[in-house]
Amino acid sequence: MSSRNPPLSRRTVLGGLAAAGAVPLLTPAGAASASGVAAPLRSDARTKVVVLGTSGGPGWGTTEPQRRGIASALVVGDRYYLVDTGEGVGFRLMDAKLGNWQARAALSDLRAVFLAHLHSDHINDLSNILSLGADNGLVAADRPVPVWGPGNRGVLPPKTGAHPMPPVTAPDNPTPGTRMARGADVLVHEVIATEWAAQRYPEPRSPEDEAAFQHLIKSHTPVEEVGVIAEKAGVPTPVLNHVVPGSWPLEKWQAAQQGYSGRLVVGADLDEIGLKVRSGRHVCPSGAYEVSVGLARIP
């Protein structure tokens, strides 16, 4: 069954804990807006994931529900950790009432920024966090705010010509997402509409268009496969995030229900997924990768 009141709802993002370590606290969405779109999910849990922006890719367009660029926050009590900095993240931090938002200082409780990878849709408002931060609460931080991401710090790869490829960190296990998801309560998973990709690059395709089409469908998880992944992992609550395109009709994301026997959540901006921590380790949302951090060691 698919729900949000309708549904409750990223490549694999684990927005949960191992089954022994947490249980999700999900409050049903409130009344629908005048447009018929359900209100965001709410949670009063001390530890929760807030999907700030759910639109993947660089495209612009009107969406319903409205979706900003990809970004999530792992909230732990009175502090939070930002995962990705897509377009509009500053506004969404204010909308989510994070930090000292009433004093226009949403960054006051930010403790770290994690970048899943360096595609433009994941980083295009990082410069705003840094350049506008002093006027939006960043100066209130009692310690430096680290920014974590892939690549060599301070070094840009060559723009043209041959250059050595970076070493593979784990050649025997390069994509551990499904294995890591086993036993988690919440799986926040990215998704792409293959129907949209085929419409964007209709056949017959030029070699350039074929390459672009293959990139889209091979770099993201087709909507028809997400449910199978969630079922295989035994996750009770899969949440769709980083939806490509953000303008795709809400009802078409229900195709992710295929192969999944539980409750599907089609993520909307500002949804909150609560986690009641008992023990174990957090696995926080990070786009196409996982960032695992122990609560006791979070600064």
Side-chain angles (χ1 to χ4, degrees), residues 161-175:
H163 54 87
M165 295 296 291
V168 178
T169 301
D172 297 329
N173 189 28
T175 55

Side-chain angles (χ1 to χ4, degrees), residues 94 100-106 135:
M94 291 288 289
N100 191 10
W101 65 277
Q102 292 172 309
R104 298 176 60 87
D135 293 316

Side-chain angles (χ1 to χ4, degrees), residues 225-294:
E225 297 180 10
V226 175
V228 175
I229 293 171
E231 187 77 17
K232 181 179 179 181
V235 176
T237 307
V239 181
L240 302 188
N241 196 15
H242 191 284
V243 297
V244 180
S247 58
W248 202 238
L250 185 62
E251 62 274 11
K252 290 200 173 188
W253 294 119
Q254 305 302 327
Q257 188 71 56
Q258 297 176 26
Y260 183 66
S261 59
R263 185 187 188 196
L264 173 72
V265 179
V266 180
D269 286 20
L270 302 176
D271 274 352
E272 300 176 358
I273 300 95
L275 300 168
K276 183 177 180 180
V277 179
R278 296 195 301 268
S279 63
R281 291 172 65 82
H282 269 289
V283 186
C284 72
S286 55
Y289 305 92
E290 292 75 39
V291 179
S292 180
V293 292

